[in-house]
Amino acid sequence: MISNKRLQMAKYGYIILSTLLCALGITLIAVPGFSISLLCWIGGILLILFGCVKIVGYISKDLYRLAFQFDLAFGILLISLGLILILRTNTMIHIICSLLGICILADALLKIQISIDSKSFGIHQWWMILTAAIITSVIGFLLLFRPYESAQMAMRLLGLAILAEGILNLVTVLTAVKIFRRNTPVEIDADN
C-alpha cells in the first residue's frame, strides 16, 4: 500500500512539474528577455523538485517499471544540477543552455529506450513516447549546437526545449505508469 502511495505521489508530481516546465517554456518563448538569474533560480528549484519526484518514482512499484527505470541516477543528477544553478547562479548564466541541453538530450534518449520497452510490454501508446522523445532530442541537440547568435533566439530555443521536455514527461507518465488498485493494474487519470 505504501508503494502505491509513493507511485501516486510520483505520478502526480511528474504531471504537476511537467506542466510547470511547459509553462516555463511558453514563458521563455513569449518573453525572450526573461531574467537569466531568475531563470537559474526557477530552473534550479524545478530541477530539485523533479529530482526528488524521480527518486520517489524509482523506489515505488510501478507495474511495468518503465517510466522510472533510470530515475534514481537521473534524479540525483537533477538535484545536483538544481543546487548548482541556485548556489552558483553567476557562473551558470553563461552555460545554462549547454547544461540544460545535455540534460534534455540525455532524458530524451533514455525515453526512446522506454518507448521501445513499452512496445514490448504491449503499451499501445508507445509511439507517442517515441515521437515526443525524438522531437525533444532534436531540440536538445540544437540547444547544445546553438546555430544562432542572438540572445533572444537562444532564450526562445531554451523555452522550446523546456516545453518539449515537459510534454515528453507528460506523455511518458500518462502512458507508461500503471498503478495497482486491489491487486489489479489501473491507470490513474490526470483528472482524479
Side-chain angles (χ1 to χ4, degrees):
M1 192 59 140
I2 291 174
S3 63
N4 273 351
K5 290 191 186 286
R6 276 192 236 147
L7 186 55
Q8 287 175 329
M9 187 170 75
K11 185 169 184 171
Y12 290 130
Y14 249 83
I15 292 169
I16 291 166
L17 289 168
S18 296
T19 303
L20 290 174
L21 282 178
C22 290
L24 179 60
I26 291 168
T27 301
L28 294 176
I29 293 168
V31 186
F34 196 83
S35 165
I36 297 289
S37 60
L38 181 58
L39 175 62
C40 285
W41 275 89
I42 292 171
I45 291 168
L46 284 175
L47 286 173
I48 291 168
L49 291 174
F50 227 130
C52 291
V53 167
K54 283 181 172 288
I55 291 170
V56 169
Y58 179 80
I59 61 174
S60 67
K61 301 298 180 203
D62 179 26
L63 175 63
Y64 297 122
R65 298 182 194 267
L66 288 172
F68 304 125
Q69 66 181 317
F70 305 112
D71 282 1
L72 178 62
F74 213 73
I76 293 168
L77 176 66
L78 290 181
I79 291 170
S80 302
L81 292 176
L83 288 170
I84 291 169
L85 274 175
I86 291 171
L87 298 174
R88 305 283 298 178
T89 299
N90 293 335
T91 307
M92 297 281 83
I93 287 174
H94 302 290
I95 61 169
I96 191 166
C97 285
S98 297
L99 182 69
L100 292 179
I102 291 169
C103 283
I104 289 169
L105 181 60
D107 190 46
L109 294 174
L110 292 172
K111 295 277 183 3
I112 288 172
Q113 182 176 340
I114 288 171
S115 72
I116 294 166
D117 292 343
S118 296
K119 182 180 180 185
S120 68
F121 273 91
I123 296 175
H124 300 294
Q125 301 91 352
W126 67 270
W127 61 270
M128 293 172 66
I129 300 170
L130 179 63
T131 303
I134 290 171
I135 292 169
T136 302
S137 64
V138 168
I139 295 169
F141 179 77
L142 285 174
L143 190 59
L144 284 170
F145 184 64
R146 285 182 289 216
Y148 48 78
E149 296 295 324
S150 163
Q152 287 190 343
M153 283 304 296
M155 195 61 82
R156 284 193 172 119
L157 186 58
L158 179 60
L160 184 61
I162 291 171
L163 175 61
E165 177 70 12
I167 292 169
L168 173 60
N169 284 319
L170 280 172
V171 168
T172 302
V173 78
L174 292 174
T175 58
V177 176
K178 308 296 180 205
I179 298 175
F180 284 107
R181 283 195 191 156
R182 295 186 190 118
N183 295 329
T184 59
V186 178
E187 184 172 344
I188 293 181
D189 293 329
D191 299 335
N192 289 341

